[in-house]
Amino acid sequence: MADAKIRLYVEHPLGEGQTVPLSRDQAHYLFGVMRRGAGDALLGFNGRDGEWLVTVQEASKKGGVLRVEKQTAPQRNPPDLWVLFAPIKKARTDFIVEKAAEMGAARILPVQTDFTNSERIRQDRLQAHAIEAAEQCGGTYVPEVTDLQKLDRLLQDWPERRQLMFCDEALAGAAQNLGAVGGPAWAILIGPEGGFSEAERARLHALPFAHPVSLGPRILRADTAAVAAMTVWQMTLGDWR
Amino acid sequence: MADAKIRLYVEHPLGEGQTVPLSRDQAHYLFGVMRRGAGDALLGFNGRDGEWLVTVQEASKKGGVLRVEKQTAPQRNPPDLWVLFAPIKKARTDFIVEKAAEMGAARILPVQTDFTNSERIRQDRLQAHAIEAAEQCGGTYVPEVTDLQKLDRLLQDWPERRQLMFCDEALAGAAQNLGAVGGPAWAILIGPEGGFSEAERARLHALPFAHPVSLGPRILRADTAAVAAMTVWQMTLGDWR
């Protein structure tokens, strides 16, 4: 393995001896952009079956076929962590999705808060960013990116036994006693750049499953807060322990 | 204060009744881009004297004068934390500098490692990013961005009593017992995307002042690792405690 192998996300099942058809886009990327051809080896994963060595069996401009050779890494799923965030400017929204996928989020949920500017998102584009992050960072899991939904409705139908950590700029002390809460299912809520509204803040503080944390004495941008909050959670309750 | 005040970094001393001349660029930004004029109020800081309410005394296309009215926040310096990082692609390098300034780095030091591609950086551009981050995030301190230097030379002349935390992807366990090391002066070293060379890794592990930490079981991009590492440090040894 002189040169680093390409890692490609595919939707088909992966198992020894199976074949995987390539879409036009994948063929363009592999054969056009990356100059790979028949016989070349790469790595494939589908988010469920681990990572596999695959070889190119057929290559054309419009498609191709991969052959699945042998497993190179087992499937590794992240902790049961949802990441909720209020979409901001395009580049920083893309960044939050990329970082959530990298840091081990199981599910990414864009939410509309009182101070969110975004009325809509491009779910397909954000999902593609999550896939690319997994391809680049050696992951075998791809978090689902859901469609934009209103935070208050999501909180109304909140799943039983899922805890929620939210970052409150107005908090003075650290108060990060999440370890004592425990529990396997969690969500992190990153507020919008303008913070939460007073009504939202009051509601969040009153929810029995919601736990405020402070991210230090400085004002952080939403994308910074996302990575910092996931670090706090992973260190305290996740798989960094 | 109906609308959010502009925060402007200036180099002059700030004290009640003083006047501050504006550069051509600052005048262009304030009067051209932001449409402010004589009599308007904004906030000023210089990295040393806290934050001040200032008013526009004179405004022209080529310059202007601010008058310093009264202090709105005291000077707040970050912990004595240096952030060392190996420059990567332009956008992600800018991002690391922005995030280091936001998260409370006292000094930002781009370093050349064995696997760093960059031969040079634009120090003035990176310094401008650090200033912008302070302007946007309500900070009163601006970390100095130093010129690119070789990591091995920096380690050779390492200041006495400054501890170094470095992120080692090859580490299995968490091993984050930094709290036991203590000490007020620290540095964080973020490796390049390709990781450290074997020689660098061996050297780092042998240094008495260097402490390896793990950032979890996933491979993180350098910009993600920078924010995550600063979070670990701030929670354990910094001003988030």
Side-chain angles (χ1 to χ4, degrees):
Chain A
M1 297 214 298
D3 51 359
K5 284 203 173 49
I6 294 169
R7 295 186 88 247
L8 191 70
Y9 172 80
V10 299
E11 295 195 344
H12 282 252
L14 293 169
E16 206 173 307
Q18 282 188 293
T19 51
V20 176
L22 291 174
S23 70
R24 198 189 188 107
D25 282 353
Q26 287 171 323
H28 171 73
Y29 169 73
L30 270 188
F31 312 134
V33 181
M34 300 306 288
R35 306 269 162 190
R36 296 307 200 269
D40 285 344
L42 53 142
L43 298 170
F45 67 103
N46 61 8
R48 307 178 302 275
D49 299 326
E51 181 191 80
W52 294 75
L53 184 75
V54 299
T55 50
V56 178
Q57 204 166 52
E58 292 170 30
S60 81
K61 277 193 179 170
K62 292 181 185 168
V65 176
L66 301 176
R67 191 190 137 85
V68 184
E69 307 291 347
K70 64 165 198 244
Q71 197 173 32
T72 48
Q75 176 62 24
R76 205 184 53 207
N77 293 327
D80 187 3
L81 176 67
W82 293 3
V83 173
L84 283 58
F85 76 99
I88 38 177
K89 275 184 291 182
K90 185 176 159 300
R92 289 184 194 262
T93 296
D94 292 353
F95 179 88
I96 289 179
V97 169
E98 174 187 309
K99 291 329 180 198
E102 253 180 72
M103 296 277 300
R107 202 160 177 234
I108 301 171
L109 303 91
V111 294
Q112 254 181 313
T113 66
D114 290 348
F115 294 160
T116 306
N117 300 328
S118 277
E119 294 294 306
R120 42 180 305 198
I121 54 160
R122 283 279 310 272
Q123 189 277 337
D124 56 338
R125 264 199 50 238
L126 296 182
Q127 187 65 67
H129 275 288
I131 290 172
E132 206 192 308
E135 286 176 339
Q136 300 255 335
C137 292
T140 49
Y141 178 88
V142 176
E144 176 202 8
V145 182
T146 64
D147 246 324
L148 189 65
Q149 53 195 313
K150 283 194 195 305
L151 176 63
D152 56 3
R153 206 162 303 163
L154 184 61
L155 291 176
Q156 234 161 45
D157 303 330
W158 194 250
E160 219 184 320
R161 287 198 289 195
R162 184 171 295 274
Q163 307 292 332
L164 175 70
M165 157 181 158
F166 69 99
C167 308
D168 190 347
E169 285 181 359
L171 263 192
Q176 272 132 356
N177 203 7
L178 300 178
V181 180
W186 274 83
I188 293 176
L189 169 60
I190 315 294
E193 302 267 299
F196 296 111
S197 70
E198 273 314 308
E200 278 170 340
R201 175 169 288 123
R203 183 167 182 201
L204 283 165
H205 277 277
L207 292 170
F209 56 82
H211 311 275
V213 301
S214 154
L215 297 176
R218 284 165 213 89
I219 299 169
L220 301 181
R221 280 175 163 153
D223 54 351
T224 319
V227 178
M230 285 185 277
T231 304
V232 168
W233 189 86
Q234 287 284 20
M235 280 178 73
T236 317
L237 288 156
D239 59 16
W240 292 25
R241 282 173 298 176
Chain B
M1 297 214 298
D3 52 358
K5 285 205 171 50
I6 293 169
R7 295 186 88 248
L8 191 71
Y9 173 81
V10 298
E11 295 193 345
H12 281 251
L14 294 169
E16 204 173 309
Q18 282 189 293
T19 52
V20 176
L22 291 173
S23 70
R24 197 186 189 111
D25 283 352
Q26 287 171 326
H28 171 72
Y29 169 73
L30 270 188
F31 312 135
V33 181
M34 301 305 289
R35 307 269 163 190
R36 296 305 200 270
D40 285 344
L42 53 143
L43 298 169
F45 67 102
N46 61 6
R48 307 179 301 275
D49 299 326
E51 183 191 78
W52 292 77
L53 184 75
V54 299
T55 50
V56 178
Q57 204 166 53
E58 290 172 31
S60 81
K61 278 191 179 171
K62 292 181 185 168
V65 176
L66 302 176
R67 190 190 139 84
V68 184
E69 306 291 346
K70 63 165 197 245
Q71 199 174 30
T72 48
Q75 176 63 24
R76 205 184 53 208
N77 292 328
D80 187 2
L81 175 67
W82 293 3
V83 172
L84 282 58
F85 76 100
I88 39 178
K89 277 184 290 183
K90 184 176 159 299
R92 289 184 195 263
T93 295
D94 292 353
F95 180 88
I96 289 178
V97 169
E98 174 187 308
K99 290 330 179 199
E102 253 180 72
M103 296 278 300
R107 201 161 178 233
I108 300 171
L109 303 91
V111 294
Q112 254 181 314
T113 65
D114 291 348
F115 294 160
T116 305
N117 300 328
S118 276
E119 294 294 304
R120 44 181 303 199
I121 55 160
R122 284 278 311 271
Q123 189 277 337
D124 56 338
R125 264 198 51 237
L126 296 182
Q127 186 65 66
H129 275 288
I131 289 172
E132 206 191 308
E135 286 176 339
Q136 299 256 335
C137 293
T140 50
Y141 178 87
V142 176
E144 176 202 7
V145 182
T146 63
D147 247 323
L148 189 64
Q149 55 194 314
K150 285 195 194 302
L151 176 64
D152 57 1
R153 206 162 303 163
L154 185 61
L155 292 176
Q156 235 161 46
D157 303 329
W158 194 252
E160 220 183 321
R161 286 197 290 196
R162 184 171 295 273
Q163 307 292 330
L164 175 70
M165 158 180 157
F166 69 99
C167 308
D168 190 346
E169 285 181 0
L171 262 195
Q176 272 130 354
N177 203 7
L178 299 178
V181 179
W186 274 82
I188 293 176
L189 169 59
I190 314 295
E193 301 265 302
F196 296 111
S197 70
E198 273 316 308
E200 278 170 341
R201 174 169 288 120
R203 180 165 185 205
L204 284 165
H205 277 277
L207 291 170
F209 55 81
H211 310 277
V213 300
S214 154
L215 297 176
R218 287 166 210 87
I219 300 169
L220 302 180
R221 281 176 163 151
D223 55 351
T224 320
V227 178
M230 283 184 277
T231 304
V232 168
W233 189 87
Q234 286 284 21
M235 279 178 72
T236 318
L237 288 155
D239 59 17
W240 291 25
R241 283 172 297 177

